[in-house]
Amino acid sequence: MRNRKRSYNFISVILVFLMVSIWFYFDQEQQTKSIQIGVSLYLENDTFVEKILSAMEQEALNYEEETGVNVILNVSVANGSQRTQNEQVKRYVEMGYDAICVNLVDRTNAAAIVDLGVFEGEDVPIVFFNREPVAEDIMRRDMVYYVGSDAKQSAVLQGQAVVECYQNYPKLMDKNGDGVLQYVMLEGEMGHQDAIMRSDYSLQTIVNMGVPLHKLASETADWNRKRASDLMEQWIESYGDDIELVLCNNDDMALGALDILSKTSIKAAVFGIDATDVGIQALDEGALWATVDCNSKEQGQAVLRIAADLAMKGSLSDKLELTQQRYVRVPLIKKISTSLG
Ligand code: GAL
């Protein structure tokens, strides 16, 4: 009788032990099946950056479906302050986030963020996107990557689109028939790699392809639709119908120019870059002559994949095409309106 009781006790102990082990095992499993990714954006309400963010959110869901890993994205906005952004990154690191995606405020100033991402001797993965840091900062340590588009290529494609439209609609574009296109240019934020390259190479491409240009005015409108429409209003007052071509470093500024042009009887050919939803709508309506699709979808997908893979495995999947070991540059496509003429 005593022996029987003893063996019952023994079995109960074993059962409790097994249950605790199983609970512990599943709890561990649960813990590794969830990763936290911190995102810091340079500004709120940037149409193109928001498109990249939506693609990241969608890709987080895809990743979860494919791998069973729950990806938690926490997004903060730096409101144009590098100091605020550094604090946000520091907080993510201290809270044990598995990876951090940074849309830099000041592209010349990434070293501090790269260094902040080393925690207790471990490299926290950092993926910069859209606003390209200088190469030395990317190469400062392991686990640092950049995803973006090739700024020069977007400019060349814009230039080619202008020349193609000119060849197809010479009279519509060259309103005074002098064989030269009188242009104004709305430039992005000063010092931004895309603004610098797009302004230079778009003009160079047009001229090199044999279409003479004459500059009436050019100014930065910080990627911003309202600022662009204010500038365009001034230029219309100064140059009126002489404006034949409006070259814009992005779609939002092109739409700003169109906001004002549509209130006048002046016709000018307006060109953007980005292919945002509003940009594509204007293209379909024939208001925007052309844009360049900078592939926000693939940008967002790549950012999320790099961050999640590094967080989960410490290495990247072979599917990702890297250039110079640390860069993903997405393919771009020129889009010309089919509603012109
Ligand atoms: C550019 C884009 C702009 C703006 C900017 C912000 O690539 O064309 O619309 O989003 O990035 O960094």
Side-chain angles (χ1 to χ4, degrees), residues 93 171 319 333:
V93 172
K171 287 197 184 121
K319 281 187 217 148
I333 307 164

Side-chain angles (χ1 to χ4, degrees), residues 42 46 48-49 130-131 192 194 198 223 249-250 273-274:
Y42 85 112
D46 179 299
F48 187 69
V49 171
N130 169 261
R131 301 166 68 85
H192 192 299
D194 290 343
R198 287 175 187 172
W223 310 119
N249 283 176
N250 78 344
I273 292 181
D274 275 350

